[in-house]
Amino acid sequence: MFLPSASINTTGEDLIEVVVDTPWLSTIYSPGLQNSLTRIPGVMKFVKFASAAVLAAIGGQVGADSTFTPARPPAVPLAVRSPYLNVWLNGQENGPHGVLPGQWPRFWATGIQGWQGFIKVDGQVYNWMGGAPGAPNVDQLSLEYTSTRSIFHMSAGGLVDLIVEFLSPVYPQDLRRQSIPFSYIKVAVKSRDGKSHSVQVYSDVSGEWASGDGGAVVQWETSSNAGVRSHKFWKQKQTVFQEDGENAAWGNWYWSTGDQPGVSYKIGADVDVRGQFLKSGSLDNQVDDEFRAVADRWPVFALSRDLGNVRGSWARTLFTIGVAQRDSIQWVGQAADPQAVPSLWTSYFGDESDLVSFFYHDYDDATHAANRLDLRIQRDSVAAAGQDYATITTLAVRQTFGALAYTGTRSNPLIFLKEISSNSDIQTVDVIFPAFPILLYMNPNLLKYLLEPLLINDRYHYPNNWAQHDLGRFPRALGYPAGNDEPMPLEECGNMIIMMLAYSQWKHDDKYLSDNWDLLAKWAQYMIEDAKIPASQLSTDDFAGHLANQTNLAIKGIIALQAMSQVATRAGFRDQSSRYSALAEDYLQFWTQHGVNADAGHTMLQYDNKDSYGLLYNIYPDKLLDLNFIPQEIYDMQSDFYLKTQKRYGVILDTRNVWTKVDWEMFAAAVAKPKTQRMFISKIATWINETPTWRAFTDLYDVNTGGYPSGIQFTARPVVGGVFSLLALNK
């Protein structure tokens, strides 16, 4: 494995400080961070994680096959910032995973997003990304992923080392920057053999980014503004708030680089544009003026940079990719008719050219912000439960935030969530619920901005006495004025009350509860009627079908009733508090009598069905909200039982199938005994490294094979934010 130079300093506390000359770690290990690292107990694991390539390079020979740190993921996030900028390097269904050269990046829905990369070294061209013919592939030596980055280490002909870094920054506290649906790719080159080499770098994107319809006509132009050269391209006949095969049918795409010496560009047919670089190592700055369909001679938008003679120091070039939509979501809020909700970035930037140039020039800030977040999550995860836990949490970050659209204004931001892959509903309550631990950990305000569209629409337009399931299909949040959404009444009432109390606790915001007391009280009344003995209905695990007397569903409602006791006090209705707590205690007694198989030592899936069982993940909110309501013996009993019933890659969701869900396993792990918690985390981390699934981090898989359940491929869903359950609990 390659690394050019590194030194290791040991401290007296069995810690390691790595000083490394690379373009990706030199920023992570800035002097300030190095100093702070040596003062953090247990950080040795983090340093070893982030510097695995360093240690391997110092201690051994370069391997022929790519290695993976901290694991080999089923798919690698490349540009993942929003529901429409959501591009992955998928694994191959019956082949290798995590190898960039020689295959096409893909949209989360699996459509190809033509993204090609070449490098020319001393006249010989190599392919470092994409499936275009004409050049041999570089040798990929390793892949590392962090919370915000995917970093590929490569060798081109043994002559130069090539590092390709995909950075999708996450700014939990900075809505201005987080609202920009753009991503970075940086290419760095350095001599491998110590000799000077002439190097040119090329990359293009295709019209496939602008539409999922190969017959759609794409239009384009190129320009330079504020030191940034950009190719702008878009679907010619735009339909706002519509999709082409999950891709947006509106908006302008921008593929950019610095307008600097050595840069050339070209727009035209793929074979012509790529062929020109393959032959000459540069582009002729010409633009094809024949606008045409995506699949008609495949128009591509190319940028090239001549890095000159490269030898002892890193030569770098930076690209950015993103989509700008002035209107983001169609929403029925307080008004009777649908309204267009603007993208939040429009509150900060005058026009799209300002947006594009700001993002390009903001790379240094993005890098420092990403360094801080990467370090925080790695450090906190390792401290909480070891490196296996960090392997899981770091893979979940970009995927979760990539499902969010930031809209509204500075003074009234609203976030809309796309469920992704299961049915692409918008603002699905039982998808927000498993994701909400990462929001509490990152910034609880994000949870508030997500719940607000639901609260407003529910108050003015939803006729049922329970909380609605979702607001429609992304990007149209039109709600269900006829009350005909997918019915999960007990599930969603419990979820809303739990999440709203969590936000209030984290932010010390009791007014939030009093302002929404009308809805909270309405949902609590429904739970009074249904939580003790749930009717036949769906839970969040709707793929398993309807079921009456669901024990796990009942306990969510009962815990939510206990939570309402605290809600009432905080909201200024103290006289209601004892009523809710008394009902919760009564229901818990009944639940314990009919939901626990004391002889077998586990709770049941269904009241009095002694042969059934499952993950009791819905007791997690009791610990999260510090209610101290569920007896500790229930937690301990379940912990012991999970150890007894574990399979190769985890514990089954319930006895109706051999599937499990990552989010619910981590909810269960967060409140389990240490040994059981370690079991869950170890098995999930092992599954990430070994799974035969090939798309973005699925939350649903077979516990025996690690593969997709028959007929179901959940992928790229934000529910993986639930793996932060332990960090939210610790906080």
Side-chain angles (χ1 to χ4, degrees):
M1 189 183 302
F2 149 72
L3 265 180
S5 63
S7 61
I8 297 181
N9 303 322
T10 59
T11 73
E13 302 171 344
D14 196 28
L15 298 177
I16 300 174
E17 178 180 340
V18 178
V19 182
V20 57
D21 176 23
T22 72
W24 73 98
L25 284 179
S26 60
T27 51
I28 293 177
Y29 294 100
S30 63
L33 281 179
Q34 288 175 14
N35 293 338
S36 65
L37 279 173
T38 59
R39 293 195 296 268
I40 302 172
V43 166
M44 180 178 66
K45 290 185 178 180
F46 170 63
V47 177
K48 288 175 68 177
F49 152 77
S51 60
V54 179
L55 302 179
I58 294 171
Q61 300 297 315
V62 174
D65 298 323
S66 180
T67 61
F68 303 92
T69 305
R72 183 232 65 186
V76 184
L78 299 181
V80 181
R81 289 296 309 280
S82 76
Y84 296 132
L85 181 62
N86 209 292
V87 181
W88 298 76
L89 175 67
N90 283 2
Q92 297 182 30
E93 186 171 350
N94 296 302
H97 286 52
V99 179
L100 184 65
Q103 62 174 316
W104 295 115
R106 292 179 180 268
F107 189 51
W108 71 260
T110 75
I112 289 174
Q113 304 274 261
W115 204 355
Q116 179 62 44
F118 292 123
I119 183 171
K120 196 166 194 176
V121 183
D122 297 337
Q124 172 62 52
V125 181
Y126 303 88
N127 184 334
W128 54 265
M129 174 175 63
N137 295 335
V138 300
D139 294 323
Q140 181 175 310
L141 306 177
S142 66
L143 162 67
E144 300 179 26
Y145 71 80
T146 69
S147 293
T148 62
R149 295 174 169 89
S150 298
I151 306 164
F152 295 86
H153 313 255
M154 305 168 177
S155 170
L159 303 175
V160 300
D161 287 304
L162 174 69
I163 298 175
V164 182
E165 172 195 87
F166 295 87
L167 170 61
S168 294
V170 175
Y171 302 94
Q173 306 288 340
D174 187 340
L175 289 181
R176 178 178 65 145
R177 287 182 166 91
Q178 186 60 36
S179 71
I180 303 174
F182 282 60
S183 190
Y184 298 101
I185 175 174
K186 184 169 75 172
V187 180
V189 185
K190 186 177 182 181
S191 175
R192 184 177 180 83
D193 61 7
K195 300 178 182 178
S196 179
H197 298 284
S198 173
V199 176
Q200 296 81 39
V201 173
Y202 167 100
S203 189
D204 71 52
V205 296
S206 75
E208 289 158 301
W209 293 69
S211 177
D213 176 6
V217 174
V218 177
Q219 193 167 334
W220 53 79
E221 62 185 39
T222 190
S223 63
S224 179
N225 176 61
V228 180
R229 164 64 59 180
S230 293
H231 293 321
K232 173 184 175 182
F233 58 103
W234 62 95
K235 183 182 178 184
Q236 193 175 72
K237 294 183 179 179
Q238 303 221 343
T239 310
V240 181
F241 310 130
Q242 297 291 334
E243 295 181 336
D244 296 333
E246 304 285 354
N247 301 73
W250 81 104
N252 298 315
W253 287 86
Y254 291 88
W255 173 235
S256 307
T257 193
D259 200 351
Q260 55 194 317
V263 168
S264 59
Y265 62 87
K266 187 176 180 66
I267 299 176
D270 59 344
V271 293
D272 296 336
V273 175
R274 293 166 183 162
Q276 185 173 104
F277 180 82
L278 290 171
K279 182 178 180 179
S280 65
S282 64
L283 302 171
D284 61 11
N285 299 339
Q286 297 299 303
V287 175
D288 186 339
D289 60 5
E290 185 182 348
F291 306 137
R292 56 187 181 270
V294 170
D296 180 2
R297 289 166 291 147
W298 303 99
V300 299
F301 314 97
L303 298 166
S304 174
R305 175 100 185 274
D306 188 341
L307 297 177
N309 292 320
V310 173
R311 189 174 182 181
S313 59
W314 288 99
R316 306 170 176 88
T317 197
L318 179 69
F319 304 95
T320 63
I321 183 70
V323 59
Q325 299 166 313
R326 298 203 68 84
D327 289 327
S328 178
I329 298 290
Q330 187 179 39
W331 176 49
V332 176
Q334 186 171 345
D337 299 320
Q339 306 293 315
V341 185
S343 296
L344 183 57
W345 66 260
T346 61
S347 289
Y348 297 101
F349 301 96
D351 57 33
E352 293 179 7
S353 61
D354 291 340
L355 176 74
V356 173
S357 61
F358 172 85
F359 185 78
Y360 181 86
H361 292 300
D362 199 45
Y363 177 74
D364 286 346
D365 186 275
T367 297
H368 292 308
N371 293 343
R372 291 190 294 270
L373 187 65
D374 287 347
L375 175 59
R376 174 191 170 192
I377 293 173
Q378 177 69 27
R379 178 196 61 208
D380 291 354
S381 298
V382 169
Q387 177 53 51
D388 278 348
Y389 187 44
T391 297
I392 302 166
T393 55
T394 52
L395 188 59
V397 176
R398 281 171 285 177
Q399 179 166 318
T400 302
F401 279 82
L404 306 180
Y406 293 77
T407 74
T409 64
R410 297 190 204 194
S411 60
N412 186 29
L414 299 172
I415 301 175
F416 289 89
L417 171 145
K418 184 169 185 174
E419 184 172 326
I420 296 188
S421 80
S422 39
N423 60 13
S424 287
D425 281 351
I426 187 169
Q427 230 62 1
T428 312
V429 175
D430 61 293
V431 171
I432 298 174
F433 181 75
F436 93 109
I438 195 175
L439 304 178
L440 292 178
Y441 170 79
M442 295 280 206
N443 178 5
N445 286 330
L446 302 178
L447 177 60
K448 179 183 178 183
Y449 303 148
L450 265 171
L451 297 183
E452 192 65 15
L454 285 157
L455 296 172
I456 293 174
N457 183 272
D458 198 310
R459 178 172 288 111
Y460 292 100
H461 301 289
Y462 189 63
N464 295 327
N465 291 326
W466 53 81
Q468 59 191 322
H469 173 264
D470 64 273
L471 288 180
R473 195 181 193 283
F474 197 94
R476 304 179 72 207
L478 305 183
Y480 297 91
N484 58 340
D485 54 325
E486 183 180 16
M488 292 186 190
L490 184 52
E491 175 75 45
E492 310 303 25
C493 288
N495 290 340
M496 290 298 291
I497 290 171
I498 289 165
M499 290 190 290
M500 292 173 72
L501 177 56
Y503 166 78
S504 175
Q505 289 180 342
W506 260 250
K507 297 298 294 184
H508 308 286
D509 185 357
D510 293 345
K511 187 176 183 298
Y512 179 69
L513 300 178
S514 61
D515 287 346
N516 291 290
W517 174 254
D518 57 334
L519 295 175
L520 290 160
K522 179 177 73 171
W523 300 332
Q525 183 57 41
Y526 178 82
M527 291 191 303
I528 290 172
E529 298 167 3
D530 196 47
K532 185 175 183 180
I533 307 176
S536 180
Q537 60 188 277
L538 295 173
S539 73
T540 182
D541 305 318
D542 54 356
F543 47 82
H546 287 73
L547 188 67
N549 304 325
Q550 294 184 61
T551 306
N552 191 45
L553 185 58
I555 201 63
K556 174 176 283 183
I558 296 168
I559 289 172
L561 277 176
Q562 181 66 18
M564 277 299 296
S565 176
Q566 188 176 134
V567 168
T569 299
R570 288 172 170 265
F573 297 89
R574 186 179 296 272
D575 59 316
Q576 300 286 327
S577 178
S578 59
R579 172 173 173 256
Y580 289 123
S581 60
L583 284 166
E585 290 286 356
D586 175 67
Y587 288 9
L588 179 61
Q589 184 177 356
F590 179 89
W591 180 90
T592 304
Q593 180 181 352
H594 294 276
V596 175
N597 184 341
D599 294 335
H602 61 76
T603 57
M604 294 173 273
L605 170 65
Q606 192 177 31
Y607 283 157
D608 299 322
N609 183 352
K610 292 190 175 182
D611 293 330
S612 68
Y613 58 83
L615 290 172
L616 193 67
Y617 55 82
N618 276 331
I619 57 175
Y620 170 74
D622 176 54
K623 294 290 189 182
L624 182 74
L625 300 174
D626 199 26
L627 300 177
N628 297 311
F629 175 62
I630 303 298
Q632 185 60 41
E633 53 262 31
I634 297 294
Y635 292 99
D636 294 342
M637 176 186 68
Q638 287 299 113
S639 286
D640 294 340
F641 183 71
Y642 295 147
L643 288 175
K644 295 175 184 177
T645 192
Q646 61 181 292
K647 306 298 182 185
R648 180 178 179 183
Y649 291 117
V651 176
I652 61 170
L653 181 63
D654 61 56
T655 44
R656 290 175 289 182
N657 50 57
V658 293
W659 310 335
T660 194
K661 287 190 91 270
V662 171
D663 45 355
W664 301 144
E665 284 194 301
M666 281 306 309
F667 271 46
V671 296
K673 292 179 179 179
K675 184 177 180 180
T676 303
Q677 186 179 101
R678 289 193 296 271
M679 178 272 292
F680 274 116
I681 291 171
S682 174
K683 287 184 177 293
I684 295 171
T686 299
W687 171 83
I688 287 173
N689 195 56
E690 297 179 359
T691 176
T693 65
W694 60 93
R695 297 173 64 187
F697 196 174
T698 180
D699 54 288
L700 181 69
Y701 63 86
D702 186 305
V703 293
N704 296 314
T705 68
Y708 294 116
S710 178
I712 303 177
Q713 287 187 17
F714 287 175
T715 183
R717 299 197 327 149
V719 299
V720 296
V723 303
F724 278 73
S725 55
L726 186 56
L727 292 182
L729 195 64
N730 286 349
K731 186 175 180 181

